[in-house]
Amino acid sequence: MDRLKGKTALLVGAGSIGPGWGNGKATAVTFAREGAQVFCVDRNLAAAEETVKIITGEGGNAAAFAADVSKAAEVEAMVAACRKAFGRIDVLHNNVGIAEMGSVVEVTEAEWDRVFAVNLKSAYLAMKHVIPVMIGQGGGSIINISSIASIRHVGISYVSYGTSKAAMNQMTRTTAVEFAPKHVRVNAILPGLMKTPMVEHSAGLAQSYAKGDIEAMWRARDAQVPMGHMGEAWDVANAALFLASDESRYITGIELVVDGGLTCRA
Ligand SMILES: NC(=O)c1ccc[n+]([C@@H]2O[C@H](COP(=O)([O-])OP(=O)(O)OC[C@H]3O[C@@H](n4cnc5c(N)ncnc54)[C@H](O)[C@@H]3O)[C@@H](O)[C@H]2O)c1
């Protein structure tokens, strides 16, 4: 308990795309349960507010803010607003991510650019503006949500998604090395097949797995995993809690795979 007591977390993508628990929403609530004050950012203000309502309903401290973090000016405004609300930033959690289906032959130029802006540029912009704040405070912890699709072909075709996440892994390693002397840690989490609203509400994913049949998609995803089932948003949240806390103080630049053994299988 109180593993994040006294810390402020800036959680980018703190809402959920649909009812239930997405990775970002579960992480925001987990951080708050461990004593952090959580600045919940989402381009969908209502989604961020719902997360804040859950946190404050449990007696925690949180605030909601609307920003499209693929845009530099909105990221700058987000960082300023977080500092104004809570005075500091100890943890930056970059959770936003979207998937567009298709191989290099199928994906359009507009889709490619949008995926890279939302999945990669957003994390670059957030780190660009948060790292100087962390250095001024004496350090901090940054968590970038990647995917096992950055290191494997997971059986469905979404090259723009996997490639943007692979670039995020290298941005994580490079930034970890460059800011380690300033006590800013930067790590990535690579979730595997998680049962979240993002997957349920992506028409492209259900189509790719099982011709649009959601229940058949869940069965197909369960069957792929050595543990026999998909993970939950809480599994990502608990990994993030460890990386956000001082328990991981000697860990930087890693890719923490949370996948029930999937990437160990040939
Ligand atoms: N669910 C899985 O199986 C799985 C697997 C691997 C990785 N991931 C990664 O997990 C992350 C998403 O998890 P989630 O379950 O919280 O998803 P989610 O879609 O439910 O929540 C993400 C939130 O980000 C917001 N968002 C999207 N674009 C934004 C932007 N430009 N600016 C601000 N907010 C924006 C959305 O409105 C949404 O509320 C993504 O990075 C995804 O790639 C998921």
Side-chain angles (χ1 to χ4, degrees), residues 12-18 21-26 41-44 47-48 67-71 94-99 117-119 122 145-149 158 161 165 168 189-199 205 221 233 236:
V12 186
S16 185
I17 202 112
W21 290 97
N23 297 328
K25 188 176 172 183
V41 178
D42 207 287
R43 86 178 149 199
N44 177 355
D68 176 348
V69 291
S70 63
K71 301 203 165 79
N94 287 315
N95 174 68
V96 302
I98 55 168
V118 174
N119 294 6
S122 63
I145 298 299
S146 178
S147 166
I148 60 164
Y158 49 7
Y161 179 77
K165 297 291 194 179
M168 180 185 238
I189 293 176
L190 277 56
L193 304 181
M194 317 310 286
K195 191 174 186 183
T196 60
M198 178 204 183
V199 177
L205 278 174
R221 284 166 68 95
V236 175

Side-chain angles (χ1 to χ4, degrees), residues 45-134:
L45 183 61
E49 283 172 342
E50 191 192 315
T51 304
V52 168
K53 204 172 145 200
I54 294 168
I55 292 171
T56 52
E58 294 183 353
N61 193 2
F65 188 79
D68 176 348
V69 291
S70 63
K71 301 203 165 79
E74 297 193 30
V75 172
E76 268 191 83
M78 164 187 92
V79 172
C82 181
R83 295 182 79 188
K84 191 165 178 226
F86 292 138
R88 55 188 294 117
I89 306 173
D90 302 287
V91 178
L92 167 65
H93 185 87
N94 287 315
N95 174 68
V96 302
I98 55 168
E100 294 283 359
M101 297 305 119
S103 67
V104 289
V105 174
E106 291 142 358
V107 72
T108 68
E109 188 179 354
E111 286 167 344
W112 180 275
D113 287 345
R114 197 167 79 88
V115 167
F116 270 72
V118 174
N119 294 6
L120 185 64
K121 189 177 168 191
S122 63
Y124 143 67
L125 287 171
M127 292 199 292
K128 180 181 181 65
H129 292 288
V130 167
I131 286 175
V133 177
M134 288 180 165

